[in-house]
Amino acid sequence: MFDIEEELKKLPAKPGVYIMRDRDDVILYVGKAVSLKNRVRQYFQISRNLSPKIQKMVAKIDHFEYIVVTSEMEALVLECNLIKENRPKYNTMLKDDKGYPYIKVTVNEAYPRVMMARTQGRDKAKYFGPYTSAGALKEVLELLRKLYHVRSCEKNLPKDIGEGRPCLYYHIRQCKAPCMGYITQEEYRASIAQVIEFLNGNYSPVIKMLEAQMKEASGNLEFEKAAEVRDLLLNVKKFAQKQDASNTDTSERDIIAIASTGDEAVAQVFFVREGKMIGREHFHLTGVDSETRTEIMTSFVKQFYAGTPYIPREILLSEPIEEEELIARWLSARKGARVHFRVPKKGSKERMVELAEQNASLVLLQDAEKIMREEARTTGAMKQIADWIALPGLYRIEAYDISNINGFESVGSMVVYEKGRPRRNDYRKFRIRSVKGPDDYASMREVLTRRFLHGKREEEELAGKGLDASTGSFTRYPDLIMMDGGRGQVNVAQQVLSELNMDIPVCGMVKDDNHRTRGLYYKNKEIPIDTQSEGFRLITRIQDETHRFAIEYHRSLRGKSQVKSVLDDISGVGETRRRELMKHYQSLEAIRNASVEDLAAVPSMNRRAAEQVYAFFHNEETE
């Protein structure tokens, strides 16, 4: 048994990371401390003025653990890694997991490849980037293939040389096909050296080469080729112009601003390289309720730079961060050069921060509108349904349907919606046991009886163990049962609930001539509903989902194993005859429609066995 008071006494006065867990061992929160003894004890001191979010977290703590490290810097790195790995509920979390791609040149291979890489690996390859836009990176790769005809395929060269045929890039003159031996290893590696020179920013050799090729083609009256080389030359110059450093500003910096409302926040990041803004991204954060903008910014900076491969020399912020010196030392160590944080108060840098903040606010506003639309189609739709049938509230709906399979087997489906959204983990399917033939009412009675009896038994078992009944899989009862039918189905459900002494509202979905819901049958009345409302659209989604779930179950039972199970019940039909019948007729329906003579003609069948099969499917007795 974990005694929190006793464990608090054992905490060391050393730097480290602490991990708060609930009774199910789920991580609630990860934090770091210069002194574990002082920091962790603060959570459990009544006199401490904790935020509402942290108060909720503390109430759920069942036990905690900690990891001692040698320095505050190590604690910071470990904290960032554990937060990213475990995504604790009560940490401010960066929702987006965006990475920036690189161009990778596998110089350690005999015939190096030039390709995109999502991460910078610890290998002997050369990496160029990162690029903030995957589209821009692909444009560079295409330009490199046109210029230097290098490969990006997965072939193992030289082992696979000569196998297969050259790929499309060879035919469109973007690869010299080293896989076919059409270029020597020395010639190919010379092209790779030019690629590396180009990616390092030396564009003069290729520009001179293309200018010479264009003049030569034009002098030979090869005007089509000259035009192709001209276009390629223009692309190279355009690319070189983008990459050239400005004479007046060689800065590299990230500009970060925060906008927040309620429990959501957005961080907008502008990327400036060589004095030019080359891209921007926005990132969503959750769990920011009751946190200051400084706390939000601190959490974002730590999580963002723990995951991004490129760290600029200067980071401009709209808010100051906590532990600025420590975080700056951490990032400087990763970059290998001094990293500075600044909160500009005037000039062009302040204007850039303001622009980033405006963009963050705009994204947050757009998200708020999206959330409002989503709430209208979910919780808003549930409220409409509750209002139509005068329920005080509506959180959970269970809907049921019965379907027959070829007239012999029936299945029941149960789907669950909570807060207007499907809760698929709670869906259930029932294979009807007690009903023979297509009797929907009797089948529905069995499904509902099994579902709610199971719930009652589970309640008793949990109570016997001293556990909360709501933790069971069948003990979460609905606020409303929706039947895919009218008065008859509703009456069956109400009879089952009455027999089990349960009081749950039941309504039916009344259909029009096209089998679409036109109203609700509730308390012996048909209640018309607005067919243009979100409530109606939710009912339609529930109806469609109930049918879909039943149909999927049908398909799973239509395999050979289900055909076997039906044929198993026929006297005189053993394994060999079952196999021949399935092979010959393919479906249960085809066997049912066959005559005695047709059945007797199937290999391994005789007249007596054919009569037995025919009688089984037509409910006739044999002599």
Side-chain angles (χ1 to χ4, degrees), residues 223-485:
F223 299 116
E224 184 176 341
K225 181 180 179 181
E228 288 180 5
V229 177
R230 178 203 63 202
D231 293 341
L232 191 55
L233 177 62
L234 290 174
N235 286 338
V236 171
K237 287 182 176 180
K238 182 179 176 182
F239 178 80
Q241 187 178 15
K242 280 185 180 180
Q243 303 302 315
D244 277 346
S246 168
N247 292 329
T248 59
D249 189 355
T250 58
S251 60
E252 55 170 19
R253 64 172 67 98
D254 287 350
I255 301 162
I256 306 174
I258 294 286
S260 64
T261 178
D263 195 43
E264 296 283 331
V266 169
Q268 180 78 48
V269 185
F270 289 168
F271 304 99
V272 177
R273 302 293 181 264
E274 305 291 1
K276 303 177 181 68
M277 191 170 81
I278 62 170
R280 65 177 186 175
E281 293 280 4
H282 67 266
F283 301 83
H284 293 269
L285 298 101
T286 58
V288 303
D289 189 28
S290 76
E291 293 204 350
T292 65
R293 291 170 68 87
T294 291
E295 289 171 332
I296 296 170
M297 179 67 83
T298 303
S299 295
F300 173 75
V301 166
K302 290 196 292 186
Q303 292 182 58
F304 178 68
Y305 288 109
T308 189
Y310 188 80
I311 300 168
R313 289 180 176 272
E314 184 178 52
I315 301 172
L316 304 183
L317 305 174
S318 63
E319 319 292 334
I321 59 172
E322 299 170 338
E323 304 173 308
E324 178 183 316
E325 183 181 347
L326 173 65
I327 296 173
R329 282 195 286 115
W330 167 49
L331 297 184
S332 298
R334 287 190 58 206
K335 182 175 179 61
R338 181 66 177 165
V339 174
H340 300 275
F341 287 105
R342 292 188 173 89
V343 182
K345 300 298 183 184
K346 61 181 180 180
S348 60
K349 291 182 178 180
E350 184 194 22
R351 289 193 294 273
M352 287 297 291
V353 170
E354 288 177 351
L355 181 61
E357 193 165 5
Q358 291 171 13
N359 278 267
S361 299
L362 182 61
V363 171
L364 201 59
L365 177 62
Q366 292 170 340
D367 285 353
E369 292 173 351
K370 181 180 177 182
I371 290 169
M372 287 176 63
R373 291 194 299 270
E374 181 64 16
E375 286 180 348
R377 70 185 293 274
T378 54
T379 54
M382 294 284 272
K383 186 178 185 306
Q384 283 185 331
I385 296 172
D387 290 343
W388 289 336
I389 57 179
L391 291 180
L394 187 55
Y395 176 80
R396 179 182 173 108
I397 291 176
E398 290 182 5
Y400 295 84
D401 189 23
I402 297 294
S403 295
N404 301 118
I405 301 178
N406 294 326
F408 295 98
E409 296 278 351
S410 293
V411 297
S413 63
M414 164 185 146
V415 303
V416 179
Y417 273 66
E418 288 186 355
K419 294 184 178 181
R421 296 181 177 89
R423 187 179 174 88
R424 293 186 173 85
N425 287 343
D426 286 1
Y427 286 14
R428 295 293 182 269
K429 52 192 178 185
F430 302 84
R431 188 168 175 178
I432 305 303
R433 302 168 181 167
S434 63
V435 182
K436 300 297 182 184
D439 187 338
D440 285 359
Y441 289 162
S443 298
M444 183 61 74
R445 170 178 285 277
E446 179 187 323
V447 167
L448 293 171
T449 301
R450 285 166 56 187
R451 183 263 179 270
F452 289 107
L453 274 179
H454 193 145
K456 283 182 166 290
R457 285 195 298 269
E458 201 168 48
E459 276 183 331
E460 294 173 0
E461 292 172 2
L462 291 169
K465 297 176 181 178
L467 299 176
D468 186 353
S470 64
T471 59
S473 58
F474 271 88
T475 54
R476 290 191 292 273
Y477 297 132
D479 302 305
L480 178 66
I481 296 173
M482 300 192 80
M483 310 300 296
D484 190 48

Side-chain angles (χ1 to χ4, degrees), residues 487-502:
R487 183 192 302 264
Q489 294 278 26
V490 170
N491 288 342
V492 168
Q494 288 175 334
Q495 289 169 11
V496 171
L497 293 171
S498 177
E499 291 168 3
L500 297 174
N501 295 317
M502 301 183 74

Side-chain angles (χ1 to χ4, degrees), residues 526-544:
E526 181 178 331
I527 300 172
I529 57 180
D530 179 4
T531 56
Q532 301 302 314
S533 66
E534 290 294 348
F536 172 79
R537 295 188 184 99
L538 176 58
I539 291 170
T540 301
R541 290 197 296 274
I542 293 173
Q543 180 188 24
D544 292 343

